[in-house]
Structure formats: C-alpha cells, structure tokens
C-alpha cells in the first residue's frame, strides 16, 4: 500500500512540475453538473424485462451461504441502460422490505446539532401490530437545525392518535429545509394502512415552514388536503414553492389552488385517480373582485407540467363550457402558460382541453390520449418553439397540434405505438418539419411495417434510430427500381447516423442505402437474420464506424479480417465493431 501511495505522489509531483514548466492555466472555479434527482419510487408498469436481473441481485443479497454480510453490490454500465430503475426495483421488492426492515434509531431527537438527514422513517417494518407515530414525530420535531432535503416515510401498521400528541407542528420549526417529501403507507390490505382520518390529522400537523421551496406528497389517501393546503391557503402557507408534486394520492378529489404561486416552475400530478379538475374554481370566477383579472398572471413562472395516469381528469377548471369545449374558438379564450417549456401528458383518456401552451419546446404524449385533446391552435403556433416530441400516439399528432406547430421540430421519438403501421400515417407532420427535423427515433412499434412514403420528406435528417420493431421489413429488392432508393436518396446529403437494433425481419439491407454517401456511423445490432452485407457498402465512402454485434454467426464470419467474404466491401471503414 505504501509503495502505491509513493507512486501516486510521484506522478502528482510530475503533473505539478509540468504545470509550472509549461505555464498551464486552469480554472479554479469548480464545474458543477447537477444530476437529475432520483428517489426510491418506481412505476413498475413502465419497466419491462428486468425480472431476471432483479432475481440475480436478490439471490446475491439473500444468499445463506455468504460468510459475511453483503455491504455493496455495484450495478455498472453506460448511461441509459436502466441502472437506477433496476436499483429501484430491488429496493421496492417485497423480499427486500421483509429482510432489510427500515427503522430509525432511538434517541434521534437528542442530535440537536444535526443538519443533514435525507430520510426519516416513521414506524418499524418488523412490527405486526399498530404502532403510534407520536414518539417518532416528537423526535423529528427536536431536529430544528435540519437543512436541505428531508424525505419523511411513514410505514405500515402505524396510527396517529392526536390525544397522545403534544404541541405538534413537527416540521414547521425547520426554516432551513428547502425540500420536504411526505410519503404515507400503502398496502392492498386496508387494515395494514394508517386510517384515512388519522392520515389527514397527521398531514395537518406536518405543515412545513413558509420558506420551503419544494413539496412532494405521495400515497396520501384523503379526498381533500389539510387546511393549510386547501384552496388558496397553500399559497399563503408556503408562498415560496418552486416545485410541487402529488404522487399516487388515489382518493384525492380536490387540489389546492396552484395559480397563485408566482415562482412555481415545476408541477407534477401522478396517478390521481379521482381527480377531475385541477382548479376547483370556475374560470369565470378567477378575478380579484375589482375588475382586474388574474388571468394575465396565469402561472407566470411555470416551465414544466407533467400529468400522468389520471383516468378521470377532464379539464383545468370546473367550467363545463370551457373544459368540455373541443372547438378552437373556445381554446383561444383560455389564458395560456406564458413560459411553459416541457409538457407531459400520459394516460389521461378524458382530458380534452388544457390552457394553451404557445411556448412549449418539449412535448411528450403517451398511453391513452383523447383524440379531441387541444394543446395549441393555429394562431398560437405561428412562431412555434416546439423542438422535441416524444409520443406513442403518432397518428394523433395532427389533431392535437396544428401543422404550423411542427415547423421548427428538431427531434421526434415514436415509442410503444401499437397502432401505427406505416410512417405514411405521420406524413403530414413530416412534411411540416421537413426542413427542421434532424433526429428520428422509432422504438417498440410492433405493427410498423413500412417507412415509406414519408421518410423522403425529411431532407435534413441527420440521425435515424429504429429499435425493437419486429414487423418492419426494409427489404426493397422487389420494389420498382425508381422507387427503391427514393426515401434514401433524399437523405444522401444529411444522414450521418443510422442505427438498426432488434429487427427480426431484417434479412437484407435496403438497396437504397447506397445513396447515403454522407453516412458516418452504421450500427446493426441484434438482427440475427441478416447474414451478409451488400456490395453497395463500398459506396459508403464517408463511413467511419460500423457496428454489427449480436448478429448471425454467418455475418460475423463473413466480416472477419482479412479472409471474410464481405471483408473487401467494408475494409475502407476505419472502426469496425463485431463479436
């Protein structure tokens, strides 16, 4: 060990010497890259095919033959593979909860100088009988110097008896907290959960300090919020909120009024199954009573709005004429979000109208979406800022937004679309963004059979990625000669990257690919029926990288250097990656 330390010091001294010798300059100010915050919650329905990985990890964690406790298991891999999601699945696994029970040590309240505590657990997973949470709450109340973020998780088999509590106000004395998350217990067996009336009383006594910036409430089963968070009271109690999230509050029917928050930038509503309207007031009643309408200041700072899995949600206001209006004229009468950048709507089948979003740059639509949903009308889209679209409802895009709204679109991701059979169904949208769309991703579209006639409209497309689309057949050998190369010819100057992955029907590359003279990267991954490469590969003179892993043994052998039959076709490519 000492020898290794000496070697490290020697190398560091060399670096310092070079710094002086060559007069290198460096920026003393650190570069901070804030990563996206994650939590233990995971929506399991969105994760497919990780069961085997979860089982392997669980076996390692619970292996009775291990001679010592497993302190750490590393999950490694490149970004986007789902490492965080896998860890979340393991954390929430029933066997994890059973074998690694969570509880806080006794006497936490005596740590009067404690400033950082990310998680406070209320209750004991080992308990089989109802436990009072009053003692835990008193411990939490004593930690007055806590700073930063605090997540309060209330476990099953707990109860809150107000008669046993003291002055309460358990977190209102924590002025240095910037974020508070409150998660109530959930169990399919109702008798294992905290009673709804007790949960309401406890939430009443968990009112945060007015300086709080972020609030997240999960698994609350009350129909209404506590008094400090009903109607306009939330804006009075917590006037500085920037981020607000309500998650899996299944019974909640009424939200606090959120339009009063001048600084609110992020709003997420996830799986509120009973919610019908986001604002309890009628649109016509939104006035200060002196003739000055508050509509001019409608959500003045909101940048991100996410609406997930709300089957009963109809509209923004309890105003029948407006909320249920499908006409463009009615939509123009609504106040608009002046600074909204990102909008997500997933599985809201009864939502037909939301306030206009003229400044939205990123739009995500998925799951069950009402075909009458209106997001933007023609007059609002004249100077469209929409740049990125992710959707599982490609065919419905032309109804939800006017064609002018796509004129500056740069990226489109079509995922898990179980309806679209040909990209011609999106042709009108493609024509609108023909001079702007640079990236197109198609993933998990099981009925998609053809890319034509639509791809040829995208004359500036630089990146095309197609994955897990089992019905897609790119073979154009039997197509009329003049038509075979048409979609690819239009991409000959623009397309730089082409990625084909998990396409079981791909038996040969399309002849039209020979026109892709600007192509620099070609990836063909896990296409096991592809057994050879065409002679036209020689014409792809700009190609710098070719990836062909997890393909057929025949293709792998034919591309072997220098004896493979296809090697002469690809030997001009500098970087070739294969099994």
């Amino acid at each position: 060990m000492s020898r290794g330390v000496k070697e490290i010091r020697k190398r560091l001294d060399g670096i310092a010497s070079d710094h002086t010798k060559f007069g290198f300059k460096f920026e003393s100010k650190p570069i901070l890259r804030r990563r996206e915050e994650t939590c233990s919650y995971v929506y399991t329905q969105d994760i497919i095919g990780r069961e085997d990985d979860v089982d392997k990890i669980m076996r390692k964690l619970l292996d009775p033959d291990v001679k010592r406790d497993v302190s750490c298991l590393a999950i490694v891999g490149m970004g986007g593979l789902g490492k965080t999601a896998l860890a979340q699945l393991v954390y929430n696994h029933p066997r994890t909860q059973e074998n690694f029970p969570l509880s806080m040590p006794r006497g936490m309240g005596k740590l009067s100088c404690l400033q950082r505590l990310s998680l406070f657990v209320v209750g004991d997973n080992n308990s089989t009988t109802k436990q009072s949470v009053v003692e835990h709450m008193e411990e939490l109340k004593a930690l007055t110097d806590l700073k930063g973020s605090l997540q309060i998780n209330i476990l099953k088999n707990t109860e809150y008896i107000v008669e046993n509590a003291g002055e309460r106000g358990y977190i209102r004395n924590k002025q240095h907290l910037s974020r508070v998350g409150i998660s109530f217990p959930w169990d399919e067996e109702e008798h294992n959960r905290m009673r709804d009336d007790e949960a309401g009383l406890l939430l009443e006594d968990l009112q945060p300090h007015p300086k709080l910036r972020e609030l997240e409430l999960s698994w609350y089963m009350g129909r209404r919020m506590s008094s400090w968070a009903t109607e306009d009271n939330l804006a009075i109690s917590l006037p500085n909120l920037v981020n607000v999230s309500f998650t899996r509050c299944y019974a909640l029917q009424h939200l606090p009024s959120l339009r009063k928050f001048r600084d609110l930038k992020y709003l997420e509503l996830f799986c509120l199954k009973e919610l019908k309207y986001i604002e309890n007031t009628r649109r016509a009643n939104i006035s200060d009573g002196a003739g000055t309408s508050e509509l001019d200041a409608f959500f003045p700072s909101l940048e991100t709005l996410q609406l997930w899995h709300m089957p009963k949600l109809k509209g923004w206001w309890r105003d029948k004429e407006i909320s249920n209006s499908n006409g463009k004229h009615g939509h123009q009468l609504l106040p608009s979000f002046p600074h909204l950048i990102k909008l997500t709507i997933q599985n809201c089948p009864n939502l037909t109208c939301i306030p206009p979003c003229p400044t939205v740059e990123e739009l995500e639509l998925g799951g069950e979406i009402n075909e009458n949903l209106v997001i933007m009308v023609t007059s609002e889209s004249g100077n469209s800022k929409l740049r990125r679209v992710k959707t599982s409802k490609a065919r419905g895009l032309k109804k939800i937004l006017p064609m002018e709204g796509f004129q500056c679109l740069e990226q489109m991701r079509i995922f898990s679309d179980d309806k679209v059979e040909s990209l011609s169904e999106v042709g009108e949208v493609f024509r609108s963004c023909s001079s702007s769309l640079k990236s197109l991703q198609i993933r998990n579209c099981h009925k998609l059979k053809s890319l034509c006639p639509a791809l040829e409209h995208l004359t500036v497309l630089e990146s095309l990625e197609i994955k897990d689309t089992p019905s897609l057949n790119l073979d154009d050998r039997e197509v009329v000669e003049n038509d075979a190369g048409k979609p690819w010819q239009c991409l000959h100057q623009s397309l730089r990257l082409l990625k084909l992955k998990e396409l079981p029907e791909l038996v040969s590359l399309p002849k039209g690919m020979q026109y892709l003279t600007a192509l620099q990267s070609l990836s063909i991954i896990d296409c096991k029926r592809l057994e050879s490469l065409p002679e036209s590969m020689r014409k792809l003179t700009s190609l710098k990288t070719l990836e062909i892993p997890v393909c057929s043994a025949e293709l792998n052998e034919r591309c072997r250097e220098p004896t493979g039959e296809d090697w002469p076709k690809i030997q001009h490519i500098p970087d070739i990656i294969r099994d």
Side-chain angles (χ1 to χ4, degrees):
M1 176 66 75
S2 61
R3 188 177 302 170
V5 172
K6 288 180 180 179
E7 181 62 28
I8 292 173
R9 285 179 175 173
K10 183 178 178 180
R11 292 169 62 187
L12 290 174
D13 289 340
I15 294 172
S17 176
D18 288 343
H19 169 263
T20 304
K21 180 179 178 181
F22 297 105
F24 292 144
K25 295 180 180 180
F26 64 92
E27 178 60 56
S28 59
K29 184 179 179 180
I31 300 174
L32 300 178
R33 294 184 177 91
R34 183 181 178 185
R35 297 191 61 184
E36 181 181 354
E37 292 186 4
T38 58
C39 63
S40 61
Y41 171 76
V42 61
Y43 187 58
T44 56
Q45 294 182 14
D46 284 345
I47 301 177
I48 301 172
R50 303 309 297 266
E51 294 83 0
D52 292 343
D53 294 329
V54 171
D55 288 342
K56 288 178 183 178
I57 294 176
M58 293 307 303
R59 284 198 297 270
K60 286 183 178 293
L61 287 174
L62 303 176
D63 187 355
D65 295 330
V66 173
K67 304 208 174 178
R68 60 183 180 85
D69 292 339
V70 177
S71 59
C72 180
L73 284 175
I75 304 175
V76 298
M78 62 186 296
L81 290 178
K83 300 185 296 297
T84 300
L86 181 57
Q88 291 168 326
L89 289 172
V90 172
Y91 177 85
N92 289 281
H93 197 281
R95 295 178 67 192
T96 303
Q97 305 291 336
E98 178 184 346
N99 288 275
F100 301 95
L102 290 173
S103 62
M104 301 300 291
R106 297 281 182 177
M108 285 288 294
K110 296 179 182 179
L111 303 177
S112 56
C113 296
L114 187 65
Q115 295 185 355
R116 298 287 179 180
L117 181 65
S118 60
L119 175 65
F120 189 90
V121 179
V122 180
D124 188 339
N125 266 344
N126 281 329
S127 176
T128 57
T129 59
K130 289 281 187 178
Q131 282 188 314
S132 173
V133 302
V134 172
E135 183 179 349
H136 295 84
M137 290 291 102
E138 293 295 339
E139 296 262 24
L140 177 59
K141 184 178 180 181
L143 304 176
T144 57
D145 287 341
L146 291 181
K147 298 180 180 180
S149 176
L150 173 64
Q151 176 67 37
I152 303 171
N153 285 356
I154 303 158
L155 302 183
K156 295 183 293 185
N157 288 320
T158 52
E159 60 183 0
Y160 183 59
I161 303 175
V162 177
E163 289 76 10
N164 297 339
E167 295 182 3
R168 312 200 292 276
Y170 302 117
I171 59 175
R172 197 172 184 179
N173 59 351
K174 297 171 180 33
Q175 61 176 323
H176 302 299
L177 285 177
S178 59
R179 177 195 172 274
V180 166
I182 303 172
S183 179
F184 282 86
W186 167 256
D187 195 289
E188 294 292 344
E189 300 293 334
E190 190 171 341
H191 65 272
N192 288 335
R193 305 197 310 255
M194 179 179 287
R195 283 171 40 187
D196 295 345
D197 58 336
E198 293 178 0
L201 292 171
L202 180 54
L203 183 61
E204 185 74 40
D205 294 334
L206 285 173
Q207 178 179 346
H209 190 276
K211 291 184 178 180
L212 193 74
R213 303 282 287 174
E214 301 180 28
L215 175 66
E216 180 177 336
L217 180 64
S218 305
W219 300 102
Y220 175 64
M221 291 298 123
R223 294 184 178 181
R224 290 181 176 271
M225 295 292 293
S226 298
S227 62
W228 56 268
T230 55
E231 300 298 338
D232 295 339
N233 289 347
L234 185 62
I236 298 172
S237 304
L238 304 174
N240 299 299
L241 283 180
V242 174
N243 288 11
V244 173
S245 176
F246 293 96
T247 301
R248 288 190 175 274
C249 301
Y250 290 151
L252 194 62
Q253 297 180 1
H254 305 282
L255 289 177
S257 181
L258 300 168
R259 58 186 166 79
K260 297 278 188 177
F261 290 100
R262 304 282 307 177
D263 299 324
L264 187 65
K265 292 185 177 181
Y266 178 93
L267 174 60
E268 179 185 32
L269 306 177
F270 186 98
C271 220
L272 310 184
K273 293 184 177 181
E274 296 298 321
L275 188 69
K276 295 182 179 179
Y277 302 98
I278 293 173
E279 292 278 356
N280 290 325
T281 55
R282 293 182 181 272
R283 174 185 166 274
N285 295 335
I286 304 178
S287 174
D288 61 7
T292 302
S293 174
E294 295 179 3
L295 296 180
D296 295 334
F298 185 74
F299 287 89
S301 301
L302 190 65
E303 296 177 353
T304 300
L305 173 62
Q306 298 192 351
L307 308 175
W308 300 78
H309 309 293
M310 292 188 284
K312 294 185 179 181
L313 184 66
K314 297 180 178 179
W316 202 269
W317 293 279
R318 292 181 178 276
D319 191 315
K320 184 175 181 180
E321 179 183 354
I322 297 296
S323 294
N324 295 334
S325 173
N326 299 328
K328 295 181 179 180
H329 177 69
H331 197 254
Q332 289 174 330
L333 297 176
L334 300 177
S336 62
F337 295 109
H339 298 295
L340 192 68
I341 296 175
K342 181 176 181 179
L343 173 64
T344 299
I345 302 177
Q346 288 267 4
N347 280 318
C348 298
N350 289 303
L351 180 63
T352 57
C353 188
I354 66 171
C357 310
T359 61
V360 70
E361 297 179 14
E362 185 172 344
L363 175 65
E364 180 174 343
L365 300 170
E368 292 186 61
I369 300 294
N370 195 298
E371 63 178 12
N372 294 317
L373 175 65
V374 177
I375 293 176
M376 189 187 303
V377 295
T378 303
S379 63
E380 300 157 2
S381 59
N383 297 313
S384 176
K385 296 185 177 181
L386 187 63
R387 298 295 184 270
R388 294 172 294 279
V389 167
K390 179 181 178 182
T391 182
S392 63
K393 300 294 178 184
R395 297 194 304 181
L397 286 175
K398 60 184 179 182
K399 294 183 178 180
I400 294 173
L401 281 86
M403 290 303 100
E404 295 89 341
F406 298 102
Q407 287 180 348
C408 298
L409 191 68
E410 296 176 355
Q411 299 176 20
M412 178 179 288
R413 295 176 62 189
I414 304 175
F415 71 101
S416 302
D417 192 323
D418 58 359
K419 301 291 185 182
V420 65
E421 297 183 7
S422 170
L423 284 191
S424 61
E425 300 172 56
V426 200
E428 192 173 350
V429 174
F430 282 171
R431 283 192 293 271
S432 296
C433 60
S434 61
S435 60
S436 62
L437 193 69
K438 295 181 179 180
S439 175
L440 174 62
Q441 296 182 20
I442 302 172
R443 180 174 182 177
N444 195 30
C445 297
H446 287 194
K447 291 186 178 181
L448 182 64
K449 298 177 182 179
S450 173
L451 302 181
C452 306
L455 202 60
E456 59 267 25
H457 300 306
L458 306 179
T459 56
V460 297
L461 191 68
E462 296 178 359
S463 173
L464 174 60
E465 300 182 38
I466 307 173
K467 178 182 178 182
D468 191 18
T469 304
S471 299
L472 183 64
N473 186 351
L474 297 177
D475 189 359
D476 57 3
R477 288 175 295 182
E478 298 181 3
V479 180
V480 178
E481 185 67 27
N482 291 336
D483 295 333
K486 188 176 180 180
W488 305 102
Q489 276 183 315
C490 297
L491 303 175
H492 76 284
Q493 291 183 332
S494 63
L495 197 66
R496 301 290 190 274
L497 182 147
L498 176 60
K499 186 173 184 177
L500 308 173
K501 185 175 182 180
E502 298 173 26
L503 304 181
E505 291 298 314
L506 183 66
V507 295
S508 65
L509 295 181
K511 291 193 301 182
M513 275 185 56
Q514 64 182 302
Y515 299 109
L516 301 179
T517 54
L519 193 66
Q520 297 179 4
S521 176
L522 173 60
S523 299
I524 308 170
I525 304 171
D526 199 5
C527 298
K528 294 185 171 58
R529 294 185 64 190
L530 183 66
E531 297 181 353
S532 65
L533 297 178
E535 191 68 29
S536 59
M537 290 293 295
R538 300 176 188 269
K539 297 182 179 182
L540 305 182
T541 55
S542 298
L543 203 56
K544 297 178 180 179
T545 302
L546 172 65
E547 288 185 280
I548 47 173
V550 203
C551 288
S552 65
E554 292 85 351
L555 180 62
N556 189 50
E557 189 61 32
R558 289 175 66 96
C559 293
R560 184 181 299 278
E561 178 186 4
T563 58
E565 192 171 340
D566 286 346
W567 174 250
K569 307 172 187 177
I570 60 174
Q571 62 180 347
H572 64 286
I573 304 172
D575 189 14
I576 299 176
I577 302 171
R578 62 183 186 85
D579 291 335

